[in-house]
């Protein structure tokens, strides 16, 4: 066992939770999993309360604001139960109608202790990033305590006589971010005045007074007003004459907003003493992401650290004619006082003179829009007292000891803040939802947000919705993102022109994929090259900021870059066909690996694809690629059917597939493709049944049986008949009809020689016999099915469907001790295969068996796991209702009657399409009403 955690206060604790950044937790020194985002948010809310009780109503308000789901109470209690398993029941206690933490160490408590002691900088070191997992007043509270600590730290350092330069950058950045915060402005004025920059300090006050008047209609408070009067009264001796130094930084945009963490990191690197940070910082990122703006902002913030000058050059690296380093060096040398007649002729001599001129001087060099390392190297000073800030779309290699900073698009809140600066707060406040949608359609790319904002700012009569509508169509989006002098597409075109033919082809082709990203193997299929050749190609596009690589071997476009690439690409059916072939073949191979001997994917005829040596590898592929498979483009009706059937086989949310199968069946019928129509209708019946639409499912089954018979597709004819058996079994008074369906289907598959399907139908026969309380016949039939399956699979392969079928029969026969180990075995097998539908179903039966054995405490974690699957998958079928119903049964057995009642109410909502099941739950609610009403 690991040793307990020691807090800064010297207190030993076994559990610790951090909220000053991402929400994390530790127990006995080991980090624990805290579950989905809202579960972590609940824990953070409790941390902010200290050890005070938070009412359940307060938790619901914090998690869902004004729109909690009907099942909010049950979900909160489920989250609490799961958190107790993570951190220990004794550390998350119930008090009245609320919850509280007990004996938990937190970074927030340490932060508050250190600030009370005046150790502000030590307290601030506890922050590991922006608070993640909190919203609304709780987030604002954390932001406030952090700001107060920063203000107190800066005041403490200024009071001690510390050099103002060390706090000036921090105060300048925060004052820009929080322009209405008077204490920050006052501290900035003090720091400027202490550094001999009294006019700038007075200007800060003037700006504050104007901002407060414009935004709030008030004057500055007495503290900052008295400071202003003091600065006015101080006699200022004339400053000694200073030698002329270059100050070439361009002005920063007045509407700069956000980017606090990036700017702070840049400022820290540039302002560090010699030897404490790399001399060169390189910022890379997509065109239009705001690299130049950030560079200028950071450079202005640290300019007092470079009293010998600030040099700036646009190297035009993304254009057709990049700047000549020799010409740039000549301009730098002139700015540093070197006469023209002293300028050497060659690049090497000018570089040497530049290094000599700035040696041992504090000079900042900003090289904007660099093309590559060859352009930058001659422009680097040789002295560690200087700093260089480079921006580039490409990642310049071979720069000595350079620090790389990748600039991504800003968070949604910052992008919205930029739009607000441009079009005004009233418009954004009045149309917040449309404004948020607009910045997302802009991909949060600052250039795109500026262009969209500029169009709105000059068209006061346009609601923001007009711009949203113009950007809604991806094919027309870039055309709408232009003004008379700026176009987003022009920024992308500069990068595209640098590509060689093979890079340009890959850039255009890969954009045709509809998936959220593209794995290397799929990219190789599209460009028709080996994976080794493809990796070199796509990595070169990553280096040029035309592709992103969110994980090793995976690639994606920024939304607007993809739109640009598609605007250049002609439809390429062969490339899309290769991508489709890759996904179909690989998905089939994954399914076959996870389900040995199951012929369900035999109709997928695609060749090649990735292969898998283990179930774990196949499971990992499905987890990563299912969304890509869902979005891959079909080339005809047959391939579309194969895609949908594979998605269904991987237990995707079947209710979302209803419209897709319905549309496919209709188009196949119109085209006279009876083979596709019959299979599509058989699958449609399956997903309709899962969605609880039993009458519609029966109608589609009948249609599928008729069409497949006409097409001579007997395999899917029997599949449709077996689905009919499943539907009839859902109706308690139709077990005999269901039994007949399964028996006919078993005989049909036997005649076709389909042994796996024959055995599966015999499992259904056995379960229907058990429903009719013919248990001996049921068990005998299941043994027959097992014999058929073993003959097909071999003795070494254990079929989980056979295991769970036998367990269900034992359950119905009341032989729960025999059912339990079978269900536990089946659960492990389904989890290994990542079959979420059958995992959830098996959990439900496992809970029922444990309850029948009077082992409710053991049943609870399984019931909660089934509910978590229901909430995360939202399949909408009977299993989701059953999960909540069984959790209610378990809680009722544990005498948690109120919580059980809430679970049954949620089950009743989900059983809306299952009248018989709904009636059972109503009976449970009625029976439990006295216990819920009884006072505690």
């Amino acid at each position: 066992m690991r040793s307990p955690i020691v807090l800064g206060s010297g207190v030993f604790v076994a559990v610790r939770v951090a909220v000053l950044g991402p929400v994390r937790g530790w127990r006995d020194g080991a980090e624990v999993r805290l579950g989905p985002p809202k579960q972590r948010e609940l824990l953070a809310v409790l941390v902010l309360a200290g050890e005070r009780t938070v009412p359940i109503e307060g938790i619901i308000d914090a998690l869902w604001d004004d729109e909690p789901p009907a099942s909010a109470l049950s979900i909160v209690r489920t989250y609490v139960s799961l958190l107790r398993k993570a951190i220990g029941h004794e550390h998350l206690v119930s008090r009245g109608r609320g919850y509280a933490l007990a004996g938990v160490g937190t970074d927030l408590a340490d932060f508050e202790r250190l600030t009370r002691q005046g150790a502000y900088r030590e307290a601030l070191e506890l922050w590991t990033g922006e608070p993640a997992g909190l919203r609304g007043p709780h987030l604002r509270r954390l932001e406030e305590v952090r700001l107060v600590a920063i203000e107190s730290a800066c005041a403490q350092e200024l009071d001690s006589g510390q050099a103002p330069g060390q706090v000036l950058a921090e105060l300048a950045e925060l004052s820009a971010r929080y322009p209405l915060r008077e204490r920050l402005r006052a501290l900035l004025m003090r720091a400027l005045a202490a550094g001999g920059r009294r006019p700038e300090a007075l200007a800060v006050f003037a700006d504050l007074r104007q901002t407060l008047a414009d935004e709030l209609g008030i004057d500055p408070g007495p503290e900052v007003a008295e400071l202003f009067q003091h600065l006015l009264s101080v006699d200022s001796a004339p400053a000694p004459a200073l030698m002329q130094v270059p100050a070439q930084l361009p002005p920063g945009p007045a509407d700069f907003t956000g980017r606090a963490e990036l700017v702070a990191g840049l400022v820290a690197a540039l302002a560090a003493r010699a030897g404490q940070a790399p001399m060169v910082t390189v910022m890379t990122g997509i065109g239009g992401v705001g690299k130049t703006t950030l560079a200028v902002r950071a450079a202005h913030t640290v300019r007092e650290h470079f009293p010998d000058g600030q040099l700036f050059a646009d190297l035009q690296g993304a254009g057709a004619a990049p700047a000549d380093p020799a010409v740039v060096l000549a301009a730098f040398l002139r700015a540093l006082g070197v006469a023209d007649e002293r300028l050497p002729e060659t690049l090497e001599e000018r570089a040497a003179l530049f290094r000599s001129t700035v040696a041992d001087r504090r000079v900042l060099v900003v090289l904007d829009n660099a093309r590559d390392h060859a352009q930058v190297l001659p422009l680097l000073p040789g002295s560690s007292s200087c700093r260089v800030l480079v921006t580039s779309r490409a990642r310049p290699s071979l720069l000595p000891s350079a620090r790389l900073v990748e600039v991504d698009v800003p968070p949604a809140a910052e992008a919205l803040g930029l739009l607000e600066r441009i079009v005004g707060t009233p418009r954004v406040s009045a149309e917040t939802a449309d404004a948020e949608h607009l910045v997302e359609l802009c991909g949060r790319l600052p250039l795109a947000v500026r262009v969209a904002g500029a169009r709105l700012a000059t068209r006061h009569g346009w609601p923001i919705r007009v711009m949203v509508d113009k950007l809604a169509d991806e094919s027309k989006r870039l055309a709408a993102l232009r003004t008379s002098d700026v176009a987003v597409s022009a920024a992308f075109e500069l990068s595209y022109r640098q590509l060689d033919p093979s890079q340009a082809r890959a850039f255009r082709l890969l954009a045709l994929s509809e998936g959220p990203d593209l794995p290397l193997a799929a990219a190789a299929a599209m460009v028709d090259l080996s994976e080794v050749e493809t990796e070199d190609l796509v990595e070169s596009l990553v280096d040029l900021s035309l592709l992103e690589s969110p994980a090793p071997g995976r690639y994606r476009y920024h939304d607007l870059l993809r739109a640009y690439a598609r605007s250049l690409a002609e439809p390429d059916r062969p490339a899309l066909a290769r991508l489709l072939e890759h996904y179909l073949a690989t998905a089939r191979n994954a399914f076959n690996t996870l389900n040995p001997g199951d012929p369900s994917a035999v109709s997928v005829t695609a060749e090649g694809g990735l292969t898998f040596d283990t179930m774990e590898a196949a499971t990992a592929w499905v987890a990563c690629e299912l969304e890509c498979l869902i979005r891959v483009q079909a080339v005809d009706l047959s391939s579309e059917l194969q895609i949908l059937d594979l998605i269904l086989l991987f237990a995707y949310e079947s209710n979302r597939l209803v419209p897709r199968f319905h549309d496919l069946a209709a188009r196949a019928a119109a085209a006279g493709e009876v083979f596709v129509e019959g299979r599509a209708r058989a699958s449609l019946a399956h997903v309709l049944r899962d969605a609880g639409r039993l009458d519609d499912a029966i109608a589609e089954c009948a249609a599928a049986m008729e069409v497949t018979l006409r097409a001579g597709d007997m395999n899917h004819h029997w599949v449709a008949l077996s689905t009919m058996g499943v539907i009839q079994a859902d109706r308690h008074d139709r077990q005999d009809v269901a039994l007949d369906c399964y028996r006919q289907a078993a005989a049909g598959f036997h005649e076709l020689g389909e042994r796996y399907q024959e055995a599966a139908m015999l499992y259904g026969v056995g379960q229907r016999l058990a429903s009719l309380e013919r248990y001996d016949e049921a068990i005998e039939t299941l043994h027959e099915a097992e014999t058929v399956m073993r003959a097909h699979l071999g003795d070494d392969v254990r079929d989980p469907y056979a295991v769970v079928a036998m367990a269900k029969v034992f359950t119905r026969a009341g032989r729960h001790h025999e059912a339990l180990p079978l269900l536990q075995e089946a659960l492990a097998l389904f989890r290994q295969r990542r079959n979420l539908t059958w995992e959830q179903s098996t959990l439900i039966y496992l809970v029922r068996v444990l309850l029948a054995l009077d082992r409710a405490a053991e049943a609870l974690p399984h019931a909660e796991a089934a509910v978590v699957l229901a909430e995360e998958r939202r399949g909408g079928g009977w299993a989701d209702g059953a999960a909540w119903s069984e959790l209610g049964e378990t809680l009722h057995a544990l005498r948690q009657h109120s919580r059980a009642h809430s679970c049954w109410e949620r089950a009743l909502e989900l059983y809306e399409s299952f009248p018989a099941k709904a009636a059972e739950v109503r009976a449970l609610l009625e029976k439990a009403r006295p216990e819920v009403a009884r006072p505690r």
Side-chain angles (χ1 to χ4, degrees):
M1 183 175 177
R2 294 175 175 85
S3 52
I5 302 169
V6 184
L7 302 186
S9 59
V11 177
F12 289 87
V13 295
V15 174
R16 179 169 174 78
V17 177
V19 296
L20 304 182
V23 180
R24 301 171 65 189
W26 295 264
R27 187 176 183 181
D28 295 330
E31 187 162 5
V32 295
R33 297 179 62 182
L34 297 176
K38 284 202 179 297
Q39 190 168 303
R40 296 195 299 272
E41 185 177 357
L42 188 156
L43 181 60
V45 169
L46 296 178
V47 168
L48 263 65
E51 295 197 347
R52 297 184 303 277
T53 302
V54 181
I56 288 182
E57 293 77 10
I59 294 173
I60 291 174
D61 288 343
L63 298 188
W64 288 285
D65 298 325
D66 297 326
E67 297 183 358
S71 56
L73 184 61
S74 295
I75 293 173
V76 166
R77 287 169 170 164
T78 298
Y79 287 159
V80 168
S81 178
L82 295 173
L83 284 171
R84 282 171 168 165
K85 289 181 176 62
I87 67 173
H89 285 250
E90 69 276 18
H91 295 296
L92 205 172
V93 297
S94 301
R95 292 178 185 160
R97 278 188 54 80
Y99 298 102
L101 296 179
V104 175
T106 71
D107 56 355
L108 179 60
D110 289 352
F111 176 85
E112 292 171 339
R113 174 180 53 79
L114 288 167
T115 55
R116 287 194 298 270
Q117 296 170 357
Y120 301 110
R121 288 298 177 191
E122 187 179 350
L124 289 165
E125 287 175 3
L126 295 174
W127 287 77
T128 59
E130 294 300 318
L134 282 171
R135 298 168 298 126
H138 296 95
L139 176 60
R140 289 192 290 274
R141 176 190 160 188
L142 280 185
E143 290 175 337
E144 177 64 21
V145 298
R146 186 181 194 180
L147 277 173
V148 169
I150 293 173
E151 290 169 341
S152 299
C154 291
Q156 189 178 64
E157 289 156 4
L158 289 171
D159 290 343
S160 69
Q162 187 171 312
Q166 296 184 28
V167 298
L168 191 53
E170 185 175 24
L171 289 168
E173 172 57 32
L174 288 171
S175 296
R177 189 174 179 183
Y178 302 97
L180 300 177
R181 199 170 179 90
E182 293 190 40
R183 191 183 183 202
L184 275 176
R185 296 288 198 118
L187 289 166
L188 178 60
M189 291 168 64
R190 285 183 58 192
L192 287 166
R197 296 162 61 178
R198 191 170 67 110
E200 291 178 59
L202 297 174
V204 168
F205 178 82
D207 180 71
L208 172 64
R209 180 166 53 192
Q210 186 64 50
T211 302
L212 289 174
D214 292 344
E215 297 289 336
L216 303 177
I218 62 174
D219 292 324
E223 178 188 356
V224 69
E226 289 173 11
L227 176 60
F228 173 67
Q229 291 299 326
H230 172 73
L231 292 176
L232 283 176
S233 65
V234 172
D235 290 332
S236 180
L242 298 174
M243 67 175 183
Q244 292 298 311
V245 296
Q248 297 183 342
L249 298 178
D255 56 13
F256 184 90
T257 185
R259 301 289 203 176
E261 192 171 339
L262 264 176
V263 171
L266 291 170
V267 166
L270 295 173
R273 295 174 182 171
Q276 292 184 346
M279 185 180 76
V280 181
T281 298
V282 180
M283 300 166 57
T284 68
I286 179 179
V289 80
K291 301 181 294 297
T292 300
T293 302
L294 276 168
V296 171
R297 178 74 168 193
H300 274 291
T301 304
V302 300
R303 65 185 180 184
E304 77 278 358
H305 291 276
F306 300 94
D308 298 318
Q310 307 95 41
L311 299 168
F312 180 92
D314 180 358
L315 300 185
Q316 301 174 27
D324 183 344
V327 175
V328 175
L329 281 170
F332 282 175
L333 288 167
R334 291 189 188 99
L336 291 165
V338 177
D340 281 356
E341 57 271 18
R342 290 188 55 215
L343 291 178
E345 291 296 325
T346 69
L347 171 64
E348 292 75 13
E349 290 175 319
R350 289 182 180 183
L353 179 58
F354 175 66
R355 290 192 295 270
S356 299
T357 304
V358 299
D360 299 323
R361 297 173 68 178
R362 292 283 291 165
V363 175
L364 174 63
V365 182
V366 180
L367 303 175
D368 187 38
N369 196 10
R371 187 179 187 89
D372 53 30
H373 74 278
Q375 189 185 33
V376 172
L377 277 173
L379 307 176
L380 299 182
S383 172
S384 62
S385 61
C386 298
R387 289 288 182 272
V388 181
L389 183 56
V390 181
T391 75
S392 176
R393 300 185 185 197
R395 290 173 170 81
S397 58
L398 306 179
L399 288 181
S401 303
R403 172 177 177 259
L404 182 66
V405 177
E406 296 195 25
V407 182
D408 199 355
V409 295
E414 291 188 9
L416 186 65
L418 174 58
L419 180 67
E420 187 174 344
R421 288 272 185 126
I422 298 168
V423 306
T425 299
R427 288 177 80 176
V428 170
S429 298
E431 304 173 73
T432 302
D434 286 333
E436 291 172 345
H437 192 187
L438 179 60
V439 298
E440 291 302 323
L441 287 172
C442 291
R444 306 204 302 270
L445 188 71
L447 175 62
V449 174
R450 287 184 187 280
V451 171
R455 293 194 66 184
L456 288 169
T458 56
R459 293 161 176 82
H460 298 288
W462 278 18
I464 294 175
R465 162 59 57 181
V466 171
M467 203 65 204
V468 169
D469 292 340
K470 288 182 177 295
L471 300 189
D473 185 343
E474 184 193 75
S475 65
K476 300 176 182 177
R477 193 169 298 163
L478 288 173
L481 287 172
R482 64 172 62 241
T483 63
S484 58
D485 55 352
V486 179
V488 173
S489 58
F492 299 156
E493 185 179 356
L494 291 173
S495 295
Y496 180 71
R497 286 180 176 177
Q498 296 182 35
L499 303 182
D500 63 34
S502 61
Q503 291 173 320
R505 173 178 176 269
F507 176 68
R508 297 190 305 270
L509 276 186
L510 299 181
L512 297 176
S513 168
E514 293 288 350
D517 61 3
L518 202 62
L520 179 60
M526 289 199 78
V527 299
D528 202 18
L529 295 172
S530 71
E531 287 195 22
V532 172
E533 293 171 305
T534 303
E535 185 172 23
D536 288 342
L537 198 55
V538 293
E539 285 294 334
S540 71
L541 294 175
V542 172
D543 287 340
L544 293 169
S545 298
L546 288 172
L547 275 182
E548 301 170 7
S549 181
R554 302 195 73 84
Y555 303 93
R556 70 185 179 199
Y557 290 84
H558 181 275
D559 288 348
L560 294 181
L561 258 180
R562 181 175 57 196
Y564 175 72
R566 287 179 174 177
S567 72
L568 303 173
E570 297 292 333
D572 194 317
R573 287 182 64 85
L576 291 174
R578 290 192 299 271
L579 179 65
L580 174 65
E581 184 100 349
H582 165 78
Y583 272 120
L584 287 178
T586 305
R588 177 205 55 218
N589 297 345
F591 179 82
N592 290 342
T593 301
L594 292 169
N595 301 273
D598 188 339
S600 300
V602 71
S603 59
V604 177
T605 57
E607 297 180 358
L610 302 177
T611 58
F612 306 96
D613 296 328
T614 64
M615 285 190 176
E616 289 75 16
T619 297
W621 185 87
V622 173
C624 290
E625 304 301 336
L626 184 57
E627 192 64 33
C628 293
L629 178 65
I630 291 166
R631 298 193 193 182
V632 71
Q633 293 171 270
V635 296
D636 54 28
L637 293 174
S638 177
S639 63
E640 185 174 350
L641 177 63
Q642 292 178 51
I643 293 168
L644 293 179
D645 277 342
L646 281 166
I647 295 168
L648 187 57
L649 287 175
F650 286 122
Y652 185 68
E653 299 170 23
S654 55
N655 60 332
R656 289 176 57 182
L657 295 177
V658 169
R660 292 185 67 175
F661 274 119
H662 189 278
D663 177 63
L664 176 59
R667 285 185 286 116
E673 294 200 22
V674 290
F675 186 84
V676 173
E677 181 193 354
R679 290 173 55 192
R681 291 194 185 281
S683 296
L684 176 57
H686 179 91
V687 295
L688 284 168
R689 179 263 173 182
D690 282 352
R693 294 167 56 180
L694 301 187
D695 291 338
D696 292 337
I698 289 173
E700 286 299 335
C701 268
M705 290 168 65
E706 186 274 324
V707 175
T708 52
L709 193 61
R710 180 156 40 94
D713 182 5
M714 296 310 297
N715 190 305
H716 286 89
H717 178 78
W718 302 124
V719 168
L721 181 59
S722 70
T723 302
M724 181 72 83
V726 175
I727 298 166
Q728 297 294 353
D730 287 336
R731 301 183 169 190
H732 294 291
D733 58 344
R734 305 300 298 275
Q735 298 303 311
D736 53 342
V737 178
L739 177 61
D740 188 53
C741 291
Y742 278 116
R743 278 179 166 161
Q744 287 186 55
F749 283 122
H750 178 79
E751 187 175 340
L752 293 174
E754 295 287 352
R755 296 293 175 255
Y756 185 95
Q757 299 282 40
E758 177 189 356
M761 295 305 100
L762 289 173
Y763 295 147
V765 170
Q767 290 181 69
R768 300 290 63 79
L769 287 168
S771 298
L772 295 167
E773 299 184 4
R774 293 156 63 178
Y775 300 120
D776 291 340
E777 291 179 69
I779 292 172
E780 182 181 350
T781 302
L782 291 182
H783 284 312
E784 179 188 352
E786 189 173 20
T787 301
V788 174
M789 188 64 81
R790 285 187 181 278
H792 176 67
L793 296 180
D795 292 335
D796 296 334
V797 179
R798 187 69 159 152
D799 181 36
Y801 304 100
V803 177
V804 82
M806 185 67 80
K808 289 179 180 179
V809 171
F810 282 146
T811 301
R812 288 194 174 97
R815 295 162 62 174
H816 299 108
H817 285 288
E818 294 170 86
L820 181 58
L822 293 174
L823 287 169
Q824 291 168 332
E825 179 187 2
L827 181 61
L829 289 169
F830 286 128
R831 282 177 170 166
Q832 184 184 38
R833 298 179 178 200
R834 199 181 171 274
N835 192 322
L836 301 182
T837 297
W838 277 92
E839 178 186 344
Q840 184 180 6
S841 176
T842 306
L843 283 166
I844 291 165
Y845 276 95
L846 184 56
V847 170
R848 290 174 181 170
V849 167
L850 287 168
L851 290 177
L853 293 171
D854 199 24
R855 292 158 65 173
E858 290 179 57
L860 183 59
H862 298 301
E864 289 172 336
V867 162
V868 168
L869 278 175
E871 290 300 307
E872 290 180 351
R873 293 179 63 243
R874 296 190 180 276
W878 74 270
D880 291 356
W884 281 100
S885 179
E886 294 305 323
L887 179 56
E889 294 263 22
T890 306
L891 294 167
H892 185 71
L894 293 170
R895 301 184 144 328
Q896 298 184 32
H897 302 302
S898 177
R899 189 177 166 202
H901 193 274
S902 299
C903 291
W904 285 329
E905 288 179 332
R906 174 63 174 150
L908 194 60
E909 296 172 11
L910 294 167
Y911 274 151
E912 183 180 356
S913 300
F914 299 87
K917 295 290 186 184
E920 292 175 8
V921 174
R922 287 193 189 94
L924 290 171
L925 284 167
E926 189 61 35
K927 182 179 178 182
R929 202 174 303 280
E931 282 104 343
V932 176
R934 188 178 299 143
R936 298 181 184 181

